[in-house]
Amino acid sequence: MTIINRYLALQIVMGLGIATAVLLPLFGFLDLLDQLDDVGKGTYRVKDAFLHTALLLPRRFIQLAPFIALLGNVVALGRLAVGSELTAMRAAGVSPARISLASLSVGLILLSLITVLDQFVAPQFQQKAISSRAVALEKSAALGKHLGIWTRDERNILRIGEMLHAGKAADIELMHFDDNGFLLTYTYAGYADFIDGDLWELRDVTTKTFTGNGIESVSTASMQWKSFLNPDDISTLTKSPESLSPIELFFHVRFLRSTGQEVDAYALALWRKGGGILTTVAMLLLSIPFVFGSVRAGLGNRLVLASMLGISVYLFDQIVANAGLLLHLNPALTALLPGLVLIALAGLWLRRIF
């Protein structure tokens, strides 16, 4: 039985490899075509487009993992079915459940790889791709040129116009309010250097103080300000939610909640990490009935049906996620619902087959 398990695992790994070799270059090519449209703008060149596409590959692999699991398992078990090897195994006493367990075992290895990539590899590569592209195109890496980064705590609102690099920002606005929500001071600084921890050195500073007698304006060359943001918070603010690792998302969601800010987009991105794992497990389960439930169907027919299922799942997941943000639904429910629904459907389908 151990030999059969090893053989099944090897075939499934090969199937996953084939699916990866097809899907990852395909979507990478589509990313490259999208980047080539910007070649010639600023200092963005063809080599930059190729580098950007290459740096995004770990993230694309994570995004495609559920579909790689589906198609890879269908390819592996479908080849065994076409060659009558599954029939021989079942005649030798190997149950469909035992064969399915081999798929799930390999799936656990795939999920472990995804977890490592999502925490330690994909975020760093994706953030490097975004920042280098923004520099070449002479665009802000935050919300767009002239829009800046907005954040707040209980009594302050801060706008950072542009992050020049990790230790320096430009076009800074700070609004300080009293307990009743009335504006007390407005401070504008041309530049800010992050000295140590949450201590900032503001330069080219103009401060306006609002009193009962009017507005007092004072200009200084520089002043120090103790910010409510630490360097990690500033770094996170300049990154899109999907480019953050699970740990970065967890701490950033906690920071946003502690300062009374909108957390839906970041909370949804965090919970979708778990939702992706559930969807991958669901795809592994759904791939099994494609083989055992359609014995007379050829491998090509199975792959077509699996592809259609994959597209339907992707659209369903996107619709649920966007509807959840639009309607302000619970992020955990929004992110986990598609995977849970698919696992339930797979369980019902497997009971009918077995």
Side-chain angles (χ1 to χ4, degrees):
M1 191 64 71
T2 301
I3 295 176
I4 293 178
N5 287 340
R6 289 178 180 175
Y7 180 71
L8 286 171
L10 177 61
Q11 294 300 312
I12 294 167
V13 169
M14 289 175 60
L16 295 177
I18 292 171
T20 303
V22 172
L23 292 177
L24 195 58
L26 173 61
F27 281 83
F29 179 70
L30 295 176
D31 286 335
L32 179 61
L33 290 179
D34 184 54
Q35 294 305 309
L36 289 176
D37 289 339
D38 291 326
V39 170
K41 300 178 182 177
T43 60
Y44 201 62
R45 300 292 179 262
V46 173
K47 66 177 183 179
D48 298 316
F50 275 93
L51 177 61
H52 181 89
T53 302
L55 290 173
L56 286 182
L57 288 179
R59 176 61 64 194
R60 288 289 173 260
F61 177 78
I62 294 171
Q63 294 171 341
L64 292 170
F67 314 108
I68 289 173
L70 174 64
L71 294 179
N73 213 31
V74 170
V75 168
L77 297 182
R79 290 173 60 198
L80 294 177
V82 170
S84 299
E85 292 178 81
L86 284 184
T87 303
M89 290 180 187
R90 296 184 67 175
V94 181
S95 67
R98 189 75 178 182
I99 297 172
S100 304
L101 188 61
S103 297
L104 293 177
S105 300
V106 176
L108 290 177
I109 298 175
L110 176 63
L111 292 176
S112 300
L113 175 61
I114 292 170
T115 302
V116 172
L117 287 176
D118 204 9
Q119 179 59 47
F120 300 107
V121 180
Q124 290 78 3
F125 279 33
Q126 185 175 3
Q127 291 158 17
K128 175 64 177 176
I130 293 172
S131 61
S132 60
R133 181 179 184 274
V135 170
L137 293 174
E138 300 178 354
K139 292 182 178 179
S140 168
L143 300 179
K145 206 168 183 65
H146 308 306
L147 295 177
I149 309 157
W150 292 81
T151 186
R152 55 167 289 184
D153 66 357
E154 293 180 357
R155 299 180 61 181
N156 298 284
I157 293 178
L158 172 67
R159 186 186 77 88
I160 302 175
E162 185 176 5
M163 291 295 301
L164 301 179
H165 54 74
K168 192 178 185 68
D171 189 20
I172 313 299
E173 291 181 282
L174 173 65
M175 288 149 274
H176 179 65
F177 299 85
D178 64 13
D179 292 334
N180 296 318
F182 292 101
L183 182 64
L184 294 179
T185 61
Y186 168 84
T187 302
Y188 176 82
Y191 298 93
D193 295 312
F194 310 138
I195 301 175
D196 181 31
D198 55 2
L199 187 62
W200 293 20
E201 180 78 22
L202 304 179
R203 302 185 185 278
D204 300 332
V205 185
T206 299
T207 301
K208 296 182 180 181
T209 304
F210 298 85
T211 66
N213 299 324
I215 303 175
E216 298 178 2
S217 181
V218 178
S219 297
T220 57
S222 67
M223 63 175 285
Q224 290 188 347
W225 175 59
K226 188 174 179 62
S227 171
F228 56 88
L229 297 176
N230 60 46
D232 290 337
D233 293 329
I234 298 168
S235 176
T236 303
L237 283 170
T238 64
K239 302 169 184 174
S240 62
E242 69 168 8
S243 70
L244 298 174
S245 68
I247 291 179
E248 287 176 319
L249 279 169
F250 173 79
F251 284 109
H252 191 57
V253 167
R254 190 170 68 174
F255 162 74
L256 292 176
R257 283 179 175 155
S258 68
T259 55
Q261 299 183 67
E262 179 62 49
V263 301
D264 283 358
Y266 288 92
L268 180 60
L270 175 60
W271 282 104
R272 289 191 77 182
K273 304 287 185 183
I277 292 176
L278 290 179
T279 303
T280 302
V281 172
M283 290 300 204
L284 284 169
L285 294 174
L286 286 169
S287 65
I288 296 168
F290 273 103
V291 178
F292 290 103
S294 345
V295 178
R296 296 182 180 179
L299 180 57
N301 291 335
R302 295 188 179 103
L303 289 175
V304 170
L305 292 174
S307 300
M308 293 176 62
L309 175 63
I311 294 171
S312 300
V313 168
Y314 174 79
L315 293 175
F316 175 60
D317 181 67
Q318 293 298 312
I319 290 171
V320 171
N322 287 291
L325 276 179
L326 183 64
L327 301 175
H328 301 286
L329 301 178
N330 183 280
L333 178 63
T334 301
L336 301 180
L337 180 62
L340 292 174
V341 170
L342 289 171
I343 288 176
L345 292 175
L348 293 174
W349 198 0
L350 286 170
R351 287 183 63 182
R352 291 185 60 186
I353 296 300
F354 297 156

